Amino acid sequence: MENKSDRQMAALTGERIGSILPRLAELEESEDAVLVHEQRDSESVVICPADLLKLTDTGREIYSDLLNAQVKEIRSADYGLEIVICGVEPEEMERFCEDFAAFEEAEELMGPTM
């Protein structure tokens, strides 16, 4: 029998990534969730949805293609949930990951700020 959380996750299918991030953050299973591209291979990047929640307004504009991608499928994996997305080029996901890693490195080098 399907539980409430399974129904909530299934309801996200077909939605835009940008619109589901706040709802996704509220679900317990989302702690171990990753976004993967529908054309995923062993070299593909994955994105933690929580990283997208850290985007500023400018960041949301820059990565609007990624935020407008659609959830194609949600499936269980050994490490948690895979949220399969479509409607965006895999290179856009790679660009976000590279930029986010650079941001985190710069933030770490700067130390705590006010």
Side-chain angles (χ1 to χ4, degrees):
M1 182 169 193
E2 200 176 44
N3 63 34
K4 180 181 177 186
S5 184
D6 290 339
R7 287 191 306 273
Q8 289 174 318
M9 293 302 285
L12 302 178
T13 302
E15 299 269 349
R16 287 182 324 99
I17 294 299
S19 68
I20 69 162
L21 286 173
R23 287 183 284 160
L24 187 61
E26 295 172 2
L27 298 176
E28 187 176 314
E29 293 83 359
S30 70
E31 270 184 38
D32 300 317
V34 294
L35 302 176
V36 299
H37 196 274
E38 67 178 337
Q39 298 172 352
R40 180 179 186 203
D41 60 29
S42 61
E43 304 286 315
S44 297
V45 299
V46 296
I47 296 175
C48 176
D51 295 346
L52 291 172
L53 284 170
K54 296 176 185 177
L55 288 172
T56 62
D57 289 341
T58 301
R60 285 190 286 279
E61 285 179 37
I62 292 169
Y63 298 105
S64 63
D65 287 348
L66 181 57
L67 294 172
N68 286 323
Q70 285 191 310
V71 176
K72 181 176 182 179
E73 175 185 9
I74 299 174
R75 58 186 177 217
S76 293
D78 292 339
Y79 50 82
L81 292 176
E82 284 187 343
I83 301 170
V84 181
I85 63 172
C86 61
V88 65
E89 295 296 321
E91 293 81 14
E92 187 67 13
M93 293 179 70
E94 291 172 18
R95 184 173 73 97
F96 173 79
C97 288
E98 290 169 3
D99 291 350
F100 189 75
F103 162 78
E104 284 190 316
E105 183 179 336
E107 193 175 56
E108 187 176 311
L109 290 172
M110 289 179 11
T113 59
M114 290 174 67

